[in-house]
PDB file of all heavy atoms in Angstrom:
ATOM      1  N   VAL O  73      72.997  79.424 116.853  1.00 96.00           N
ATOM      2  CA  VAL O  73      73.208  79.715 118.281  1.00 96.00           C
ATOM      3  C   VAL O  73      72.331  80.883 118.700  1.00 96.00           C
ATOM      4  O   VAL O  73      71.667  80.839 119.747  1.00 96.00           O
ATOM      5  CB  VAL O  73      74.699  80.004 118.574  1.00 96.00           C
ATOM      6  CG1 VAL O  73      74.891  80.566 119.978  1.00 96.00           C
ATOM      7  CG2 VAL O  73      75.526  78.744 118.385  1.00 96.00           C
ATOM      8  N   LYS O  74      72.271  81.925 117.884  1.00 97.00           N
ATOM      9  CA  LYS O  74      71.462  83.097 118.225  1.00 97.00           C
ATOM     10  C   LYS O  74      69.969  82.755 118.241  1.00 97.00           C
ATOM     11  O   LYS O  74      69.231  83.254 119.088  1.00 97.00           O
ATOM     12  CB  LYS O  74      71.777  84.250 117.280  1.00 97.00           C
ATOM     13  CG  LYS O  74      73.175  84.819 117.518  1.00 97.00           C
ATOM     14  CD  LYS O  74      73.478  86.007 116.639  1.00 97.00           C
ATOM     15  CE  LYS O  74      73.827  85.548 115.255  1.00 97.00           C
ATOM     16  NZ  LYS O  74      74.370  86.603 114.391  1.00 97.00           N
ATOM     17  N   LEU O  75      69.531  81.884 117.346  1.00 97.00           N
ATOM     18  CA  LEU O  75      68.126  81.463 117.352  1.00 97.00           C
ATOM     19  C   LEU O  75      67.800  80.669 118.617  1.00 97.00           C
ATOM     20  O   LEU O  75      66.728  80.827 119.201  1.00 97.00           O
ATOM     21  CB  LEU O  75      67.800  80.642 116.105  1.00 97.00           C
ATOM     22  CG  LEU O  75      67.687  81.432 114.804  1.00 97.00           C
ATOM     23  CD1 LEU O  75      67.531  80.499 113.602  1.00 97.00           C
ATOM     24  CD2 LEU O  75      66.526  82.414 114.869  1.00 97.00           C
ATOM     25  N   ARG O  76      68.717  79.824 119.038  1.00 97.00           N
ATOM     26  CA  ARG O  76      68.521  79.065 120.281  1.00 97.00           C
ATOM     27  C   ARG O  76      68.481  80.007 121.477  1.00 97.00           C
ATOM     28  O   ARG O  76      67.711  79.799 122.417  1.00 97.00           O
ATOM     29  CB  ARG O  76      69.601  78.003 120.429  1.00 97.00           C
ATOM     30  CG  ARG O  76      69.438  76.902 119.380  1.00 97.00           C
ATOM     31  CD  ARG O  76      70.560  75.921 119.356  1.00 97.00           C
ATOM     32  NE  ARG O  76      70.606  75.151 120.586  1.00 97.00           N
ATOM     33  CZ  ARG O  76      71.644  74.411 120.946  1.00 97.00           C
ATOM     34  NH1 ARG O  76      72.695  74.330 120.170  1.00 97.00           N
ATOM     35  NH2 ARG O  76      71.619  73.749 122.071  1.00 97.00           N
ATOM     36  N   MET O  77      69.294  81.065 121.433  1.00 97.00           N
ATOM     37  CA  MET O  77      69.264  82.068 122.502  1.00 97.00           C
ATOM     38  C   MET O  77      67.910  82.782 122.527  1.00 97.00           C
ATOM     39  O   MET O  77      67.337  82.991 123.602  1.00 97.00           O
ATOM     40  CB  MET O  77      70.388  83.080 122.318  1.00 97.00           C
ATOM     41  CG  MET O  77      71.750  82.548 122.618  1.00 97.00           C
ATOM     42  SD  MET O  77      72.974  83.845 122.356  1.00 97.00           S
ATOM     43  CE  MET O  77      74.375  83.135 123.185  1.00 97.00           C
ATOM     44  N   LEU O  78      67.419  83.146 121.346  1.00 97.00           N
ATOM     45  CA  LEU O  78      66.107  83.792 121.265  1.00 97.00           C
ATOM     46  C   LEU O  78      65.015  82.878 121.818  1.00 97.00           C
ATOM     47  O   LEU O  78      64.086  83.334 122.496  1.00 97.00           O
ATOM     48  CB  LEU O  78      65.791  84.177 119.823  1.00 97.00           C
ATOM     49  CG  LEU O  78      66.469  85.452 119.313  1.00 97.00           C
ATOM     50  CD1 LEU O  78      66.279  85.591 117.807  1.00 97.00           C
ATOM     51  CD2 LEU O  78      65.920  86.675 120.030  1.00 97.00           C
ATOM     52  N   ARG O  79      65.125  81.594 121.524  1.00 97.00           N
ATOM     53  CA  ARG O  79      64.155  80.629 122.055  1.00 97.00           C
ATOM     54  C   ARG O  79      64.195  80.629 123.580  1.00 97.00           C
ATOM     55  O   ARG O  79      63.159  80.681 124.243  1.00 97.00           O
ATOM     56  CB  ARG O  79      64.444  79.229 121.506  1.00 97.00           C
ATOM     57  CG  ARG O  79      63.410  78.199 121.966  1.00 97.00           C
ATOM     58  CD  ARG O  79      63.845  76.798 121.716  1.00 97.00           C
ATOM     59  NE  ARG O  79      64.989  76.554 122.598  1.00 97.00           N
ATOM     60  CZ  ARG O  79      65.899  75.623 122.395  1.00 97.00           C
ATOM     61  NH1 ARG O  79      65.848  74.877 121.333  1.00 97.00           N
ATOM     62  NH2 ARG O  79      66.875  75.446 123.232  1.00 97.00           N
ATOM     63  N   ASN O  80      65.405  80.595 124.159  1.00 96.00           N
ATOM     64  CA  ASN O  80      65.527  80.622 125.614  1.00 96.00           C
ATOM     65  C   ASN O  80      64.946  81.905 126.198  1.00 96.00           C
ATOM     66  O   ASN O  80      64.288  81.882 127.245  1.00 96.00           O
ATOM     67  CB  ASN O  80      66.988  80.482 126.040  1.00 96.00           C
ATOM     68  CG  ASN O  80      67.509  79.077 125.873  1.00 96.00           C
ATOM     69  OD1 ASN O  80      66.751  78.120 125.833  1.00 96.00           O
ATOM     70  ND2 ASN O  80      68.817  78.941 125.762  1.00 96.00           N
TER      71      ASN O  80
END
Side-chain angles (χ1 to χ4, degrees):
V73 169
K74 290 183 282 190
L75 286 173
R76 291 173 66 194
M77 288 180 165
L78 281 170
R79 183 194 67 202
N80 286 338

